[in-house]
Amino acid sequence: SCLSSHGKDDFLLRQAIKFSESVDSRWRSIRIMYFTMFLSSVGFTIVITSIWPYLQKIDRGADASFLGWVVAAYSLGQMVASPLFGLWSNHRPRREPLACSLLINVGANVYYALVALPLAGNRYHMLAARALVGFGAGNVAVVRSYVAGATSLKERTNAMANMSACQALGFILGPALQAALSFIGETGVAVGGGGLRLNMYTSPALLAALLGVLNILLVMLVLREHFVDDEGRHLCAINYESEDQVELQEAEGDIDPIAVLTSNLLFFVIMFIFAVFETIATPLSMDMFAWARTEAVLYNGIILCAIGFESIAVFLVVKVVAQRVGDRPVLLGGLSIIFCGFFVLLPWGDQYPLLQWEDIKNNSVVNQTFSSPLSITPIAPGASNGTVGPRGCPLAQSWCQYTPSIHLGQFVSADVLIGAGYAACNVMSYTLYSKILGPKPQGVYMGWLTASGSGARTLGPVFVSNVYTRLGPRWAFSVMCGLVAAGVALLAALYRRLVPFSVRHRRARDT
């Protein structure tokens, strides 16, 4: 009897150790996903503030409209890849699509560093490179579905907030690295005999490629498959391999298609908003504040870093607030703050942007077409610290002559508001969506959500670069205010449908 009792105790001890090791492995793998999201964010933001000056340097014929396509190419590639990688992850071990996507990302960043070498068509090489970087970033769907499937309902809000915090940290570090590397200068140093130069434009992309190699090693050597139910118990899934498995039972009930569609539409609006803001920040600051290319890269990098720190603080607050008031009120509050940010950014007053000196010198008709009380104050090239390059608002954008300038205080205030609102909306969108899906396999659904966001990040830059160039910031930001208001109305109208899977079906059983 003593031996039997002792054997039973040993069995329980082994089970406890096994369970502890399983939990440790699960959270270690989740942290690998945090790191993957962090590096994905770094890979995007590390070049975002320098794309416009880099494009101008390698192809002087490129304008702000083409910039929109270059920025959008990343998201277009991600939109195409996300459902494919999501479907792959539903049927195979997730390290396969993750490793494949990361390998594509590494090659694409190296390609981006080489786009200045061809003798012609450099702008199109940049377009292709950014599209491939985006295709590799389609692994975000796999990362999100992994974390959703590897956490219980109680753990999920915290895990999603942590992942968004890692994304924000990458959002900080990317522009910070770009700002630091901007001191290398536009000329840089020659590397080898092939014409490649290590400068403020190429070094960030090469650094992103190096970080991608590190990410591949972690995914292949450390990541393990885990899938748990809403209570945190390990389940057996198609792509999950373990000796300690419980057969996955098909969850009763269907996913609410209206809630899924609404979540995707709201996420589209949220990502469209931020895509517009991150695309227009550099051209807007160069036009309104007469910043030169190097100054725009440095100062916008610093601003984006500050927004990233703000986002981390927002994530910490959101985790606490969401537990008390719920996910939907936080999402609604975030959209309202974003609306205030774009409203603040609308031009007003009787001061006008400085115009580029070369445009004035070569244009005999400057102030005769418009009846506004414009007083032109031209700024010469090379003014202020001897910085090379055109400064001020170009006359090719006719609105520069009659649209009031946006003040630096407005710009910074809008940054703060839009950054805070976006951070709250981003984490709540993913958290609420994963809860709406419940215990169902989420790879394809997360692929749809990522594709929705990527579609927004494809259309957003194209929209804002064209509207901004032709009509100016007043029209561009007025349309954005209308879009955010529409998102708030949609959320309010379908507020009661956006509930977790288990809550919805519990209500159905009770009725």
Side-chain angles (χ1 to χ4, degrees), residues 167-484:
Q167 188 177 25
L169 190 60
F171 190 81
I172 295 169
L173 188 57
L177 289 171
Q178 172 67 89
L181 293 170
S182 68
F183 291 102
I184 297 175
E186 291 188 314
T187 304
V189 294
V191 178
L196 173 65
R197 301 197 71 85
L198 195 65
N199 57 31
M200 62 184 284
Y201 304 125
T202 60
S203 54
L206 294 174
L207 178 59
L210 184 62
L211 292 173
V213 172
L214 174 62
N215 202 176
I216 291 172
L217 293 175
L218 288 172
V219 166
M220 296 304 296
L221 299 177
V222 181
L223 183 70
R224 297 293 180 268
E225 298 289 336
H226 293 280
F227 191 77
V228 301
D229 64 10
D230 284 351
E231 303 300 322
R233 295 168 298 199
H234 269 92
L235 300 172
C236 172
I238 293 173
N239 58 1
Y240 173 61
E241 300 173 3
S242 173
E243 296 178 359
D244 183 24
Q245 299 178 2
V246 177
E247 190 65 28
L248 176 63
Q249 300 295 321
E250 183 68 23
E252 295 181 4
D254 296 323
I255 296 170
D256 184 357
I258 301 298
V260 169
L261 179 60
T262 302
S263 297
N264 277 272
L265 289 174
L266 287 172
F267 191 66
F268 178 91
V269 171
I270 292 162
M271 297 307 294
F272 189 93
I273 289 163
F274 203 72
V276 164
F277 189 71
E278 68 187 2
T279 301
I280 207 61
T282 300
L284 180 68
S285 61
M286 291 174 71
D287 291 343
M288 293 295 165
F289 315 132
W291 288 349
R293 290 196 297 257
T294 53
E295 292 172 333
V297 171
L298 176 61
Y299 298 152
N300 280 294
I302 292 171
I303 289 171
L304 289 176
C305 283
I307 292 175
F309 280 114
E310 177 195 29
S311 297
I312 291 178
V314 170
F315 293 139
L316 295 175
V317 172
V318 159
K319 288 198 290 186
V320 177
V321 173
Q323 290 177 348
R324 296 190 176 187
V325 303
D327 300 334
R328 294 171 296 173
V330 175
L331 182 58
L332 186 60
L335 285 171
S336 301
I337 293 172
I338 291 172
F339 177 87
C340 294
F342 278 108
F343 187 80
V344 166
L345 205 52
L346 291 172
W348 57 274
D350 57 0
Q351 294 183 9
Y352 297 86
L354 301 174
L355 300 182
Q356 287 186 15
W357 173 259
E358 290 181 358
D359 285 346
I360 296 173
K361 186 172 62 177
N362 297 325
N363 192 331
S364 59
V365 182
V366 177
N367 194 27
Q368 299 173 9
T369 308
F370 305 97
S371 59
S372 65
L374 171 63
S375 175
I376 298 173
T377 307
I379 183 165
S384 180
N385 301 326
T387 307
V388 178
R391 301 164 71 94
C393 202
L395 279 180
Q397 298 173 165
S398 59
W399 57 263
C400 291
Q401 302 181 59
Y402 59 84
T403 301
S405 61
I406 293 172
H407 303 278
L408 184 59
Q410 282 179 268
F411 186 66
V412 173
S413 299
D415 286 346
V416 172
L417 290 170
I418 294 172
Y422 170 76
C425 290
N426 182 274
V427 65
M428 285 299 101
S429 296
Y430 279 114
T431 303
L432 188 58
Y433 188 65
S434 68
K435 291 179 179 179
I436 288 169
L437 299 178
K440 303 284 186 177
Q442 297 192 6
V444 174
Y445 284 104
M446 283 293 179
W448 290 351
L449 189 70
T450 304
S452 174
S454 299
R457 296 185 78 153
T458 301
L459 296 176
V462 175
F463 159 80
V464 73
S465 59
N466 282 278
V467 174
Y468 176 81
T469 301
R470 289 169 173 77
L471 301 175
R474 177 173 286 159
W475 273 96
F477 300 143
S478 294
V479 172
M480 293 309 301
C481 286
L483 181 63
V484 179

Side-chain angles (χ1 to χ4, degrees), residues 1-12 14:
S1 175
C2 289
L3 289 174
S4 175
S5 176
H6 183 70
K8 185 176 180 180
D9 290 343
D10 284 346
F11 173 77
L12 292 175
R14 285 195 301 272

Side-chain angles (χ1 to χ4, degrees), residues 56-216:
Q56 290 179 310
K57 182 177 176 64
I58 65 173
D59 194 328
R60 294 187 179 277
D63 58 13
S65 295
F66 195 81
L67 168 67
W69 288 106
V70 172
V71 176
Y74 175 95
S75 301
L76 184 61
Q78 191 178 51
M79 181 175 66
V80 172
S82 295
L84 299 178
F85 287 133
L87 182 63
W88 188 353
S89 72
N90 271 4
H91 298 283
R92 294 289 301 166
R94 280 166 282 199
R95 66 163 62 93
E96 292 180 9
L98 285 170
C100 177
S101 62
L102 290 168
L103 191 61
I104 292 170
N105 198 279
V106 169
N109 274 301
V110 173
Y111 181 22
Y112 180 85
L114 301 174
V115 297
L117 299 185
L119 298 177
N122 304 80
R123 70 172 81 173
Y124 300 108
H125 284 288
M126 178 181 281
L127 188 72
R130 290 302 294 169
L132 287 172
V133 172
F135 193 91
N139 60 20
V140 169
V142 182
V143 172
R144 297 279 185 186
S145 67
Y146 183 96
V147 174
T151 53
S152 67
L153 200 62
K154 185 178 179 181
E155 297 168 333
R156 197 162 305 155
T157 298
N158 189 55
M160 288 292 183
N162 289 341
M163 186 156 53
S164 294
C166 290
Q167 188 177 25
L169 190 60
F171 190 81
I172 295 169
L173 188 57
L177 289 171
Q178 172 67 89
L181 293 170
S182 68
F183 291 102
I184 297 175
E186 291 188 314
T187 304
V189 294
V191 178
L196 173 65
R197 301 197 71 85
L198 195 65
N199 57 31
M200 62 184 284
Y201 304 125
T202 60
S203 54
L206 294 174
L207 178 59
L210 184 62
L211 292 173
V213 172
L214 174 62
N215 202 176
I216 291 172

